Amino acid sequence: MDLSELSPHEVAALTPPGGKEAALSGQPWTALVAQVGEEIAGPLTAVLERVDAFASTGAIDRQGLRRLREEVEQARRVGIACQQIARFACGSVRQAPERLHLTQALQAVLAQRSGDLHAHGIEMRQALQPIEVIVDPTLLSTLLDTLVDWMLAHAKSAAELRLDMKPWPAQARFVCRFHHMPPDLHADLAALAGPGREVLDDMHWQLLRHAAAAMGLVVRRSVREARVELTLEFPRTVADQLPGLTVLEDDEKVFPSTMNSQPLAGSHVLVVASRREVRVQVREALRHMGLLLDFVNSVEEAAAFCSEAVPHAVIFEALLRGERFNRLRADLLRQAPDLVFIEIIEEGAIFEVSGVGNSSVARIGRDAVPTSLASAVEFELLKAQQ
């Protein structure tokens, strides 16, 4: 269903009960390709004009440089969103569902993006119940971060967030409301309803709804006058906090709960990273887990370290994965067949769990390290213990 056909008073149920295949089968891909081209061409055209001006004058002021960076970043984010949507569409996203505290995850994203929200003058009004859901942690991070991007692009002055439980079926319900244009323009909305709705359907929105479809969420959006309301429903909800209800998904071995703040305290993790910024990023991501962390700069140092004691897990930069590292890994696996290896690849926000057999390695993108590395380490170590 094409969103441009909806009236301002209609609600778009964007993820049908049939799942992500049903949602993606009707996607107007030609319109989406045209939208990608438009959203990339706009900022890049502005970049070209600034570059031409700089070439002719030989000077650029601080404001012009700032705008240049913003325009390049805007085009870059559209390109990244397009790549992620393509992965969702072809079904190449591997998911490792976990029991996650949705409220804490949302609050963490809002805290991380508080500077952006403040810079845009957006006041956040929250009413969040403590709720757990069972979802893939990387996809949840992508969903929430994209939601903030969408709000930053369209919300005027304030946004309301509510997280509660639907009474039946018992499942988490997240609602986001904001005005996408100043409320005092209500009198002129009849002429602006169509274009206003089209503006809301930007690449942030496209990525948000594709991520939600991949997670099996129900997504509804309504636009009434200048007010937008987005509702996300999580079918796989842990409902043991409500009277008379039990855990909908209660396999704690399969879905370790993030409510236990340090389930792996004392586990030994060796980080092999040649760049200081990567080591700092990993340390910050894992500092709350109670792990014993050691850091080395090279494969040679890692071999010397492991000759004295084999850790429970090794986190390493992809650029260090060569013949010497492969030999070291083979030697370590002979000593400790359950040793966990997690590779940090240079770009992206993916997390791919390790497969079966000694040749497999879990992989995580550097963009996902701050939000998902802790969950990745927890998942891989708990899996190795089973």
Side-chain angles (χ1 to χ4, degrees), residues 98 100 137 258 286 289 351 371-380:
E98 296 183 24
L100 301 174
T258 55
L286 302 181
M289 297 183 67
F351 168 46
T371 56
S372 301
L373 180 59
S375 296
V377 171
E378 181 177 343
F379 179 83
E380 292 294 329

Side-chain angles (χ1 to χ4, degrees), residues 131-149:
I131 294 175
E132 289 183 287
V133 294
I134 295 174
V135 292
D136 179 88
T138 300
L139 287 186
L140 179 62
S141 177
T142 298
L143 179 78
L144 297 179
D145 204 48
T146 305
L147 172 66
V148 173
D149 288 333

Side-chain angles (χ1 to χ4, degrees), residues 92-113:
S92 62
V93 178
R94 299 181 183 179
Q95 298 190 45
E98 296 183 24
R99 179 174 172 174
L100 301 174
H101 200 292
L102 179 58
T103 315
Q104 292 178 356
L106 177 58
Q107 290 174 331
V109 170
L110 293 176
Q112 185 179 12
R113 303 295 299 275

Side-chain angles (χ1 to χ4, degrees), residues 189-204:
L189 283 175
L192 296 176
R197 195 170 58 251
E198 291 172 2
V199 170
L200 291 170
D201 298 337
D202 59 8
M203 289 303 297
H204 297 312

Side-chain angles (χ1 to χ4, degrees), residues 75-193:
R76 174 180 172 274
R77 292 181 71 88
V78 173
I80 292 175
C82 188
Q83 290 176 326
Q84 291 175 302
I85 290 172
R87 291 179 62 242
F88 289 136
C90 65
S92 62
V93 178
R94 299 181 183 179
Q95 298 190 45
E98 296 183 24
R99 179 174 172 174
L100 301 174
H101 200 292
L102 179 58
T103 315
Q104 292 178 356
L106 177 58
Q107 290 174 331
V109 170
L110 293 176
Q112 185 179 12
R113 303 295 299 275
S114 60
D116 295 330
L117 293 166
H118 179 73
H120 285 74
I122 300 177
E123 175 189 357
M124 302 303 301
R125 301 167 184 168
Q126 305 175 39
L128 309 177
Q129 295 182 11
I131 294 175
E132 289 183 287
V133 294
I134 295 174
V135 292
D136 179 88
T138 300
L139 287 186
L140 179 62
S141 177
T142 298
L143 179 78
L144 297 179
D145 204 48
T146 305
L147 172 66
V148 173
D149 288 333
W150 187 58
M151 286 194 303
L152 288 172
H154 303 293
K156 306 300 180 184
S157 72
E160 302 173 19
L161 304 181
R162 189 182 79 240
L163 180 61
D164 60 13
M165 292 286 294
K166 286 182 62 178
W168 189 261
Q171 60 187 27
R173 175 176 56 194
F174 173 74
V175 179
C176 171
R177 298 189 185 98
F178 59 83
H179 286 92
H180 72 99
M181 61 179 65
D184 56 3
L185 294 181
H186 284 182
D188 301 324
L189 283 175
L192 296 176

